[in-house]
Amino acid sequence: MRKKFVRYIATLTITLFIVLTPLFTEASRPILIEGAMECETNFLIEKLQNPQEQRIGGWRFISGDYEGIPVVVSVTSVGMTNAAAATVLGIETYHPFAVINQGTAGGHDAALHRFDIVLGAETIDLSAWVSKRENKGADGRHIELRPTYYYDDGIEKQEVELKADSELLKVAAEEGKNYQAGKVIVGKISSSNNWNRQIDRIRFYNEKYGSSCEEMETHAAAHICKNYKVPFLGIRILSNTEVYNEDFDPATGLACQQYVLEVVKAYAKNKQIKTDA
């Protein structure tokens, strides 16, 4: 009888270990936070406990804990290619629970000013377009956006707009009610390697495609996360807007990072993400 009991306890222990270990491992996976420039990442890095820096190729990653939450900060550098490459490396190396690409942006929506934040319910690639066939002229409004291609279980798919993870978006929107430096809206983030200062073009992108703001990384990171099926959200703060002739203010980068950390805390609480003891 005693031997049967011992075997039962041993079997139960092994079974629990097999079942629960993946759950604990899942809960300790980090949240990957991306930013292109120092003014978009320095505060995040300063807030990490036990920071460990790693360089992979030309890209910099700093892993650590933020209030008991495993976090990796990725300094992607500027541009679509850098963002895509850093996101691939970050996912392959750290296997994050979710990815947040955040930082500064230029305004498209006339309802927005500096320090207002856009949560990217969708992202679009403003560099991917086809023009109408015309023998004369070069009107940049005569275009249609082309889709982004990605794979879903080996099947190639295409979408013009890539959607954010619904749960991340919901948490960020709820946390936006506590943001004091401006307002937080759910909108559309446009990405390309261009910096557009033409008011008519800005108005066109806003009116035709619903673009809230423009920057140079978010859609590329969203594209990679789509392929990997990793939850993703883009968060962008207006650092400048040509609509109101408001010039770039690097202090907006700090405000965005502070808000993002509040989003991370709320999301980690919902998902029970925490550092292994």
Side-chain angles (χ1 to χ4, degrees):
M1 184 67 180
R2 185 173 182 278
K3 288 183 179 180
K4 288 183 178 180
F5 179 75
V6 171
R7 282 200 299 270
Y8 170 77
I9 294 298
T11 302
L12 179 61
T13 302
I14 293 170
T15 302
L16 288 174
F17 178 80
I18 292 172
V19 171
L20 295 179
T21 295
L23 298 179
F24 287 122
T25 302
E26 179 79 3
S28 64
R29 288 163 57 199
I31 297 173
L32 177 63
I33 309 175
E34 302 178 319
M37 301 183 291
E38 289 185 357
C39 70
E40 298 171 333
T41 54
N42 277 352
F43 181 76
L44 296 172
I45 296 169
E46 290 172 4
K47 286 296 180 179
L48 292 181
Q49 294 180 318
N50 306 312
Q52 299 290 326
E53 182 166 336
Q54 181 178 10
R55 284 191 179 270
I56 308 174
W59 294 277
R60 182 182 176 209
F61 298 87
I62 303 90
S63 59
D65 300 333
Y66 174 67
E67 297 191 8
I69 304 164
V71 168
V72 177
V73 178
S74 169
V75 186
T76 67
S77 191
V78 176
M80 302 278 274
T81 302
N82 278 320
T87 305
V88 169
L89 292 172
I91 291 173
E92 289 284 355
T93 304
Y94 298 100
H95 310 288
F97 198 103
V99 175
I100 297 175
N101 184 283
Q102 56 81 47
T104 57
H108 282 181
D109 188 338
L112 302 177
H113 290 267
R114 269 187 315 205
F115 284 94
D116 290 340
I117 288 177
V118 177
L119 305 177
E122 300 92 20
T123 68
I124 57 176
D125 182 355
L126 279 185
S127 66
W129 49 264
V130 58
S131 68
K132 292 183 179 179
R133 184 180 179 89
E134 297 172 334
N135 293 327
K136 293 182 179 180
D139 194 329
R141 294 168 296 182
H142 297 172
I143 65 170
E144 292 294 335
L145 292 183
R146 288 180 53 78
T148 294
Y149 295 81
Y150 65 94
Y151 285 94
D152 185 0
D153 294 328
I155 300 173
E156 186 180 67
K157 295 186 177 182
Q158 50 184 282
E159 295 177 10
V160 172
E161 299 176 348
L162 298 182
K163 297 187 182 301
D165 177 75
S166 59
E167 189 169 358
L168 259 175
L169 181 62
K170 182 179 179 180
V171 169
E174 186 66 26
E175 196 57 42
K177 297 176 183 178
N178 302 318
Y179 178 68
Q180 300 296 316
K183 59 188 173 186
V184 177
I185 71 157
V186 175
K188 187 180 296 182
I189 298 173
S190 301
S191 303
S192 74
N193 285 328
N194 305 314
W195 185 332
N196 177 36
R197 304 193 68 183
Q198 298 173 328
I199 298 299
D200 283 347
R201 191 185 296 268
I202 288 170
R203 186 178 295 114
F204 167 72
Y205 288 146
N206 174 251
E207 292 177 354
K208 184 174 177 71
Y209 297 113
S211 174
S212 306
C213 63
E214 68 172 50
E215 46 72 71
M216 301 181 180
E217 294 87 28
T218 303
H219 187 80
H223 185 190
I224 299 303
C225 288
K226 190 75 172 178
N227 275 285
Y228 277 97
K229 297 184 178 180
V230 174
F232 175 85
L233 178 63
I235 300 176
R236 289 288 166 164
I237 190 168
L238 264 66
S239 55
N240 57 285
T241 173
E242 303 297 336
V243 177
Y244 296 109
N245 200 29
E246 296 174 359
D247 292 332
F248 180 81
D249 186 347
T252 55
L254 173 60
C256 188
Q257 293 170 79
Q258 291 171 329
Y259 167 73
V260 165
L261 287 178
E262 294 303 312
V263 173
V264 165
K265 285 195 293 185
Y267 182 70
K269 182 178 180 181
N270 283 2
K271 291 296 196 179
Q272 298 184 329
I273 301 171
K274 59 184 179 180
T275 303
D276 284 332

